[in-house]
């Protein structure tokens, strides 16, 4: 409630269309599905990177410029790793080009905070209001989440439950990260 959020959603893999019954399938953005609903005001709190040839660069710039970033919702922690790896790993071949591109895209203030964060090994000065990151944290995702945690020591890590197209299958319960089956939840 004290800042904006970023929700990683799957990019459209096919063009939008209208079904024979007139229902819109797909759209330019996921905002299409909440327009006119009670959830529409939440759109104004979302960080939405502008369309660009390099979605990674565009997303990274939008996130770094978001001084008021408060919440990240991603499915897999490897998505966040893929975004940040060229920055946090100086041995990564993309490290120099990524920093160079950011120098020309970011304000000098945000670039200074990014450089300070990289030197400190923590993003707490870049995103001091970041309260929570919601990702898968079990099974194969546990290692990826564990590698990112030192960079976000000031943040609560919220494990996602298991979701399926048909509905919620499990949800996180309590501080133990226990995933409870969603039996009779509907």
């Amino acid at each position: 409630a004290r800042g904006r959020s970023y929700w990683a959603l799957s990019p459209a893999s096919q063009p939008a269309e209208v079904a024979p019954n007139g229902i819109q399938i797909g759209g330019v953005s996921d905002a299409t599905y909440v327009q006119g609903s009670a959830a529409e005001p939440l759109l104004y709190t979302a960080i939405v990177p502008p369309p660009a040839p390099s979605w990674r660069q565009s997303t990274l710039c939008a996130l770094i410029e978001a001084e008021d970033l408060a919440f990240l919702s991603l499915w897999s922690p490897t998505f966040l790793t893929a975004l940040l790896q060229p920055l946090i790993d100086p041995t990564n071949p993309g490290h120099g080009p990524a920093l160079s591109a950011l120098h020309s895209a970011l304000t000098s203030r945000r670039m200074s905070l990014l450089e300070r964060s990289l030197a400190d090994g923590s993003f707490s000065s870049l995103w001091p209001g970041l309260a929570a990151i919601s990702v898968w944290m079990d099974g194969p995702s546990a290692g990826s989440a564990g590698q990112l945690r030192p960079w976000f020591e000031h943040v609560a890590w919220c494990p996602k439950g298991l979701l399926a197209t048909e509905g919620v299958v499990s949800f996180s319960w309590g501080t133990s990260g226990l995933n409870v089956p969603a039996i009779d939840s509907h």
Side-chain angles (χ1 to χ4, degrees), residues 27 64 80 104-105 116 134 137 139 147 151 155 172 176:
I64 293 170
L80 188 55
S104 61
R116 180 174 154 200
S134 175
M137 294 183 68
Q147 290 173 350
W151 287 90
V155 175
S172 298
S176 66

Side-chain angles (χ1 to χ4, degrees), residues 110 113-114 116-118 120 122-128 154:
R110 293 307 287 171
L113 285 170
L114 173 61
R116 180 174 154 200
S117 293
L118 295 174
D120 293 346
S122 168
F123 289 114
S124 61
S125 59
L126 186 65
W127 296 304
H154 66 294

Side-chain angles (χ1 to χ4, degrees), residues 90-164:
T91 64
N92 184 302
H95 182 73
L99 285 178
S100 182
L102 289 171
H103 265 287
S104 61
L106 298 172
T107 63
S108 59
R109 182 178 176 283
R110 293 307 287 171
M111 191 66 204
S112 293
L113 285 170
L114 173 61
E115 289 170 341
R116 180 174 154 200
S117 293
L118 295 174
D120 293 346
S122 168
F123 289 114
S124 61
S125 59
L126 186 65
W127 296 304
L130 182 58
I133 297 175
S134 175
V135 292
W136 290 326
M137 294 183 68
D138 297 314
S141 296
S144 298
Q147 290 173 350
L148 286 171
R149 280 184 115 151
W151 287 90
F152 296 95
E153 289 179 328
H154 66 294
V155 175
W157 286 77
C158 307
K160 288 199 182 295
L162 177 62
L163 299 173

Side-chain angles (χ1 to χ4, degrees), residues 23 28-29 33-34 44 69 76 90 100 106 112 117 143 146 153 171 175:
I23 295 175
V28 176
S29 80
Y33 297 106
V34 296
Y44 304 105
L69 180 63
S76 175
S100 182
L106 298 172
S112 293
S117 293
E153 289 179 328
F171 54 93
T175 58

Side-chain angles (χ1 to χ4, degrees), residues 46-78:
I47 296 165
V48 181
S54 172
W55 67 267
R56 285 185 180 164
Q57 185 69 20
S58 176
T59 301
L60 193 55
C61 282
L63 289 174
I64 293 170
E65 281 291 350
E67 296 182 45
D68 61 345
L69 180 63
F71 179 67
L72 287 171
S73 178
L74 317 159
W75 289 109
S76 175
T78 59

